[in-house]
Amino acid sequence: MHTYVMQLRRLIGAATSATGERVDPKDVLRRDGGGYLLDAGPGRFDVAEYDRLAAEGHKAAQANDCLAAHARITAALNMWRGPAFADVQTGPRLSAEVTRLEESRKMLLERRIEIDLRLGWHHQVLGELAGLTTEHPSHEGLQALYIIALYRCGQRTRALAQCDQLRARMADEFGLDPLPAMAALRQAILVNDPALEDDTVWPLFVRRGRELQAKHVGVLP
């Protein structure tokens, strides 16, 4: 145990020296009762820093500060270097944390692309969305953002084809129809609805889809 602690402290010292910090490794990995405690301090755990940046990005998006939201969310996503805990043997508790982080990453990526569309950067995200929708063919949120980006880039026929492919895939693989918002989105493309240029275009069609569904079943949205 003492050998492992000594090696870890050496690695901690090298890592902090590389960043110009003056930190005593014995204060970071210190004795605590009958064992040792890792006390890295604020801003040094990547998971905590990722969660902080993600929360700030969501807050900025809710305040309609798109540039700040894009900066914070991009900074959070840039902290990823591969799968969560890729080199760690995981048990039940850590597996749950892996699932949380991976789902958070996917959701945050979708939010960042939505922000980019609100900023009018549809040309910049089109290629990224093409790859993501190929990787996640049944993820309706990403598919919707791709369809919107295609439409805004003047590719209306491809946008409609993407709608139809998603509907066929959902029916064949799951026996389901797409979300009502997708039907509202497809109809808007057919008539060149000006709402497709709205800053909050996908949330707008989510609301429209709920309204259409409510009318169909005869209940309030």
Side-chain angles (χ1 to χ4, degrees):
M1 174 65 77
H2 290 159
T3 300
Y4 287 136
V5 168
M6 181 179 67
Q7 292 173 347
L8 284 170
R9 283 174 172 167
R10 186 180 297 122
L11 290 171
I12 291 168
T16 53
S17 296
T19 62
E21 296 182 83
R22 293 185 178 181
V23 176
D24 187 343
K26 291 182 179 180
D27 292 334
V28 178
L29 185 60
R30 57 184 174 81
R31 287 296 299 267
D32 185 59
Y36 291 88
L37 175 68
L38 181 65
D39 185 9
R44 289 202 179 99
F45 282 118
D46 54 358
V47 171
E49 188 69 2
Y50 165 79
D51 286 337
R52 181 186 69 81
L53 288 167
E56 290 180 359
H58 286 306
K59 185 176 180 180
Q62 290 169 357
N64 206 32
D65 188 349
C66 293
L67 289 174
H70 173 84
R72 298 293 189 282
I73 291 173
T74 299
L77 291 171
N78 285 344
M79 297 191 70
W80 286 76
R81 297 292 183 269
F85 299 103
D87 56 349
V88 177
Q89 185 175 355
T90 59
R93 291 184 64 182
L94 198 54
S95 294
E97 177 67 0
V98 169
T99 300
R100 180 191 77 83
L101 286 169
E102 293 291 353
E103 287 301 314
S104 171
R105 180 188 190 183
K106 189 186 302 181
M107 178 274 300
L108 199 63
L109 179 59
E110 182 181 350
R111 190 66 182 272
R112 197 223 77 216
I113 294 173
E114 181 188 332
I115 292 294
D116 289 354
L117 289 177
R118 288 167 66 178
L119 288 165
W121 298 347
H122 36 274
H123 289 284
Q124 291 90 326
V125 299
L126 190 62
E128 182 181 10
L129 279 167
L132 287 169
T133 51
T134 301
E135 184 180 354
H136 305 286
S138 300
H139 192 299
E140 292 176 80
L142 290 172
Q143 292 286 341
L145 295 176
Y146 184 39
I147 290 164
I148 293 164
L150 284 169
Y151 176 87
R152 289 185 174 182
C153 290
Q155 302 186 47
R156 190 162 68 124
T157 55
R158 283 188 63 192
L160 287 170
Q162 197 73 15
C163 289
D164 294 338
Q165 289 170 14
L166 176 63
R167 182 169 56 184
R169 186 183 305 112
M170 296 288 289
D172 291 344
E173 295 184 12
F174 307 106
L176 297 172
D177 291 326
L179 291 169
M182 295 299 298
L185 178 58
R186 186 181 189 281
Q187 182 60 33
I189 293 171
L190 286 170
V191 299
N192 288 320
D193 192 329
L196 287 162
E197 303 295 338
D198 190 275
D199 286 348
T200 56
V201 59
W202 180 231
L204 171 64
F205 282 100
V206 170
R207 292 194 298 272
R208 283 192 180 183
R210 288 172 180 165
E211 291 168 2
L212 287 172
Q213 187 178 40
K215 289 179 182 177
H216 178 70
V217 299
V219 297
L220 291 175

